[in-house]
Amino acid sequence: ASKLGTQEGYSGYGAEQGMGDLRQRIAESCYANTNIKADEVFVSDGAKCDIARLQIMFGSGVTSAVQDPSYPVYVDTSVMFGQTGEVDANGQFNNLVYMKCPKENNFFPHLDEVPRADVYYFCSPNNPTGAVATKAQLEELVARALKDGSILVFDAAYAPFIKTPGVPTSIFEIPGAEKCAIEVNSFSKYA
């Protein structure tokens, strides 16, 4: 910071996609088990903001699916952008697909019971349950998004808490995800 405060050190605005060195380090550390390259990494001001920006890009005419229970930002920002329709008698929105994640299924949805959606929001480890999707479950999720021609927004903000060998920390560890998924992450959990 003190360097940037000098005439010699001031460099103006940074690269809009993030500093190249930082993007390289992210690709090497967070995506070591994938084919993600530095030029595919975008550094922003946070995962929550990115989710909202994605919803703006998708527009109000999409049908979104969220885990139930899920991190509130998926529903709240969908409401703000007019993607949810009216609230029904059960307090749920009629244009939002709720993917029930029962405890007996390790808080993973029975995807064969979930109606098609344009965008699937999925967080692993899940907030608020802490449940971590297995590789087989994520393969099923990617296959579903590919079959439906849908976008999978994968929230990996809690990935640093995954310590079990063989459990994916990125959706891009799953073959085919590069064709349907956008992953958001956060530095806030790495500290």
Side-chain angles (χ1 to χ4, degrees):
S2 62
K3 179 182 174 188
L4 292 175
T6 66
Q7 189 170 4
E8 302 80 36
Y10 179 71
S11 59
Y13 289 107
E16 69 275 0
Q17 67 275 35
M19 295 171 39
D21 301 6
L22 177 59
R23 293 167 57 223
Q24 184 64 42
R25 293 290 302 267
I26 291 170
E28 291 169 357
S29 60
C30 297
Y31 298 102
N33 297 327
T34 72
N35 292 322
I36 297 295
K37 307 287 184 263
D39 64 354
E40 298 172 287
V41 173
F42 178 83
V43 179
S44 71
D45 56 347
K48 186 187 297 188
C49 296
D50 288 342
I51 290 165
R53 288 182 191 107
L54 289 169
Q55 288 175 322
I56 291 170
M57 286 184 0
F58 298 149
S60 61
V62 300
T63 300
S64 295
V66 297
Q67 290 163 285
D68 185 14
S70 75
Y71 179 48
V73 75
Y74 313 128
V75 175
D76 296 349
T77 50
S78 292
V79 170
M80 286 188 268
F81 298 123
Q83 299 171 341
T84 57
E86 299 298 319
V87 176
D88 66 18
N90 297 318
Q92 295 190 324
F93 293 95
N94 58 22
N95 195 35
L96 195 62
V97 174
Y98 293 88
M99 298 185 290
K100 298 287 183 195
C101 297
K103 183 178 179 182
E104 60 274 6
N105 200 37
N106 192 33
F107 297 102
F108 190 81
H110 294 284
L111 292 176
D112 56 335
E113 299 172 7
V114 173
R116 186 200 174 278
D118 300 307
V119 183
Y120 294 95
Y121 291 92
F122 197 85
C123 182
S124 180
N126 177 270
N127 176 353
T129 67
V132 179
T134 66
K135 184 174 183 180
Q137 288 171 326
L138 293 179
E139 288 171 343
E140 183 183 357
L141 187 62
V142 167
R144 174 64 186 268
L146 290 170
K147 177 180 86 73
D148 290 350
S150 302
I151 296 170
L152 169 60
V153 177
F154 188 78
D155 188 341
Y158 297 93
F161 298 115
I162 298 174
K163 303 297 182 196
T164 306
V167 174
T169 57
S170 169
I171 196 64
F172 296 115
E173 293 178 46
I174 306 302
E178 71 282 354
K179 297 175 185 170
C180 65
I182 299 170
E183 183 169 295
V184 296
N185 207 324
S186 172
F187 284 141
S188 66
K189 312 306 183 286
Y190 285 85

